[in-house]
Amino acid sequence: MRKTDVIIVGYGPTAAVAANILGSLGWQVDVFERSAGVYFLPRAVHFDDEVMRLFQQLGIAEQVEPLTQPVLGMDLVNAAGTTLASYVATESVSSLGWKQGYMFHQPELEQTLRAAVSRFPNVRIHLEHEVLSVKSQAQGAVVQVRSQKGEKDIHAAMVLGCCGAHSITRDAVGGLPFDYGAHQPWIVVDVQLLRDTRLAPATVQYCDPARPSTSIPTPGSTRRFELMLMPGETADQMTSTERIAELLSPWLEPADYRVQRAAVYTFHALVAQRWRQQSLMIAGDAAHLMPPFLGQGLGSGARDVANLCWKIDLVLRGIAHESLLDTYQEEREPHVRALIESDMWLAGIIQSTDQEFARQRDAQMVADPAAATLVPPSPGLGGDLCGSGPADRRPFPQPLIKGKMHDEHLGNGFTLLGNIAPSAWACKVLQLLDTHIETTTCAEITQWMHDKGAIAVVVRPDRYVLATVADANALDIALAPLARHLCMPQI
Ligand SMILES: Cc1cc2nc3c(=O)[nH]c(=O)nc-3n(C[C@H](O)[C@H](O)[C@H](O)COP(=O)(O)OP(=O)(O)OC[C@H]3O[C@@H](n4cnc5c(N)ncnc54)[C@H](O)[C@@H]3O)c2cc1C
């Protein structure tokens, strides 16, 4: 039986990010994908600054950025055309060093991620290979794969299921998903605009009980429309050319556009109860599904594997115990749930088809100035691996220093920044983690630490703040939860 370090099931965007990270860390990775090419139908169009920063870390921001256009904002508008609430993106870069959000087309992004994977000869991609079963064993796991050449079993130290909504790996991990009870079909249409139109420059959510709908600017001369299906409407009826023309008629004449892609999706809100069982793990849509109103599904998958892959690396290198892998769900699930719950709140406003409810909602939102500003949620990580200071469990900032992005000073592992003399025990932990140490840092980070009452900060490989600390004793305390998972003597 052939053996490898990590098998990735599926080759969607979550898998492609994971393959890039694990490939760069030198692991033998085998990716099995049942389809021949990237999924062509319309899906994600938005990711945020944190995801762009991850692409920077993967060394592909220069390839990704030209495929995008910066997010301008989002308006919630009622049936009468009154703006109920807005989010306006800042023109400058965020504290993470990138624009607050980017619009893109998922197939183009997936192609770029796949092209980047080809840098790593240690990552083998097997297209048109369907995974038939995934089984955990005493040592590692076995995956049964079917291709045109027949069926074979492959053994891996770990299996990462990035196999989407109908995940075979999630079934193997076990436990029914938690269901928020939101299942709503929408038709999603991407169009190429053929002439000038008077479409709003930002995203508009039309909170019209007669037909909730969304109009989204996408890169170049393209546009995304999403329209909620009403009771009795079927996918077949709704995707005909005539029906699409009728649906888009409030905004466009047929001569204004050419349909690129159209599909009906049912949006769900689900979270798998278990994300790991022994050497099997799940990530992305396999672990959670969310409505698309905040545009965070793909980004959440990318965050999942950024969180998980450095832990897999430490375990496979024999530096950490497998218990470290349990911190993956502990940290990521509360983050994902916070986004899903914000999405559900937004869905409750946008998707209402009750005229009376909509009338009262509009009156309340117009009367309440606090409701007029939408603030994108920015939850922190759960669990107890990170400290509990105000900056801990959140992404470390990335200032621009003399035209150079600060992450370029960090390396790809752990970093300790600040003028601190670690205890002998902390030195051992930092050494085991191969920590990059910089005792002097730029004025911006020094000021940031000062504002947090800290003299030093430990940054994780996924660019999250493990802890900000005020002295060497606090550094010992901050490292202790992580050290408990490391193969070393404890304090
Ligand atoms: C209309 C719509 C709009 C969206 N908008 C946004 C947005 O703006 N921003 C955002 O961040 N997200 C958005 N999303 C969500 C985003 O598209 C998904 O979260 C993302 O595609 C999930 O990626 P994934 O790699 O986890 O899963 P998938 O993309 O589903 O990939 C899973 C892969 O696994 C393969 N596979 C499955 N089972 C097997 C098997 N047994 N053997 C081999 N291969 C297998 C599949 O063929 C597939 O290629 C949107 C989704 C929809 C539907």
Side-chain angles (χ1 to χ4, degrees), residues 187-191 199 211 225 227 235-262:
I187 178 169
V188 181
V189 186
D190 283 346
V191 299
L199 293 167
R211 167 93 65 198
F225 290 91
L227 303 108
D236 284 348
Q237 293 163 357
M238 301 302 278
T239 44
S240 70
T241 310
E242 301 72 34
R243 195 72 183 101
I244 288 175
E246 245 176 81
L247 291 167
L248 300 190
S249 62
W251 303 281
L252 298 173
E253 298 286 325
D256 289 336
Y257 66 91
R258 181 178 64 78
V259 173
Q260 293 179 308
R261 314 169 260 249

Side-chain angles (χ1 to χ4, degrees), residues 8-17 31-39 41-48 51 102-104 106 110 114 126 128-134 144-146 161-169 186-189 216 224-226 263-267 283-304:
I8 301 181
V9 186
Y11 200 24
T14 305
V17 173
V31 182
F32 295 101
E33 165 60 52
R34 65 154 73 99
S35 307
V38 298
Y39 190 73
L41 289 176
R43 292 198 292 169
V45 286
H46 164 267
F47 61 75
D48 63 21
V51 174
Y102 295 86
M103 307 310 296
F104 70 105
Q106 184 165 342
E110 288 196 44
R114 288 185 180 196
H126 310 270
E128 296 185 89
H129 281 64
E130 178 163 23
V131 172
L132 301 178
S133 71
V134 181
Q144 187 190 21
V145 182
R146 179 172 57 204
C162 303
C163 29
H166 307 288
S167 165
I168 192 170
T169 321
W186 283 62
I187 178 169
V188 181
V189 186
I216 308 172
R224 158 73 55 90
F225 290 91
E226 299 177 355
V264 168
Y265 291 97
T266 297
F267 299 152
D285 277 16
H288 41 75
L289 288 170
M290 59 188 76
F293 302 113
L294 289 171
Q296 285 289 355
L298 180 148
S300 295
R303 286 178 172 91
D304 287 347

Side-chain angles (χ1 to χ4, degrees), residues 64-320:
V64 172
E65 204 176 8
L67 306 175
T68 67
Q69 78 184 24
V71 166
L72 297 176
M74 180 167 83
D75 294 321
L76 265 53
V77 171
N78 72 3
T82 305
T83 301
L84 303 174
S86 297
Y87 153 66
V88 181
T90 54
E91 274 186 36
S92 55
V93 296
S94 77
S95 63
L96 304 191
W98 293 97
K99 298 276 186 183
Q100 280 178 307
Y102 295 86
M103 307 310 296
F104 70 105
H105 287 295
Q106 184 165 342
E108 289 176 0
L109 176 68
E110 288 196 44
Q111 267 147 1
T112 307
L113 286 166
R114 288 185 180 196
V117 171
S118 66
R119 296 173 295 179
F120 306 111
N122 46 320
V123 180
R124 284 180 288 206
I125 306 300
H126 310 270
L127 300 178
E128 296 185 89
H129 281 64
E130 178 163 23
V131 172
L132 301 178
S133 71
V134 181
K135 284 192 194 113
S136 180
Q137 292 190 321
Q139 295 287 317
V142 172
V143 163
Q144 187 190 21
V145 182
R146 179 172 57 204
S147 69
Q148 279 175 346
K149 290 186 187 157
E151 292 177 14
K152 59 185 170 189
D153 287 350
I154 298 156
H155 182 275
M158 295 198 193
V159 173
L160 181 50
C162 303
C163 29
H166 307 288
S167 165
I168 192 170
T169 321
R170 183 178 62 220
D171 294 343
V173 166
L176 287 172
F178 176 86
D179 187 346
Y180 281 86
H183 309 280
Q184 179 57 55
W186 283 62
I187 178 169
V188 181
V189 186
D190 283 346
V191 299
Q192 174 89 49
L193 297 171
L194 303 176
R195 56 190 192 191
D196 283 346
T197 60
R198 288 199 282 166
L199 293 167
T203 294
V204 184
Q205 304 280 1
Y206 295 94
C207 310
D208 178 356
R211 167 93 65 198
S213 42
T214 309
S215 164
I216 308 172
T218 45
S221 55
T222 63
R223 191 90 183 180
R224 158 73 55 90
F225 290 91
E226 299 177 355
L227 303 108
M228 195 168 111
L229 264 57
M230 306 306 274
E233 291 177 339
T234 64
D236 284 348
Q237 293 163 357
M238 301 302 278
T239 44
S240 70
T241 310
E242 301 72 34
R243 195 72 183 101
I244 288 175
E246 245 176 81
L247 291 167
L248 300 190
S249 62
W251 303 281
L252 298 173
E253 298 286 325
D256 289 336
Y257 66 91
R258 181 178 64 78
V259 173
Q260 293 179 308
R261 314 169 260 249
V264 168
Y265 291 97
T266 297
F267 299 152
H268 303 282
L270 297 171
V271 180
Q273 278 176 27
R274 290 171 67 178
W275 297 22
R276 168 180 178 242
Q277 199 241 334
Q278 295 176 312
S279 46
L280 311 182
M281 282 143 280
I282 52 172
D285 277 16
H288 41 75
L289 288 170
M290 59 188 76
F293 302 113
L294 289 171
Q296 285 289 355
L298 180 148
S300 295
R303 286 178 172 91
D304 287 347
V305 292
N307 181 294
L308 180 58
C309 287
W310 66 264
K311 296 172 183 175
I312 289 180
D313 179 56
L314 289 181
V315 173
L316 287 180
R317 281 162 57 203
I319 290 170

Side-chain angles (χ1 to χ4, degrees), residues 314 317 319 410 412-416 427-437:
L314 289 181
R317 281 162 57 203
I319 290 170
L410 295 184
N412 279 332
F414 279 87
T415 305
L416 171 67
C427 284
K428 272 193 204 147
V429 177
L430 295 168
Q431 204 176 5
L432 194 61
L433 294 170
D434 199 16
T435 307
H436 171 73
I437 299 177

Side-chain angles (χ1 to χ4, degrees), residues 20 89 297 299 359 368 380 405 427:
N20 271 290
R359 197 189 59 72
D368 177 7
M405 301 193 84
C427 284

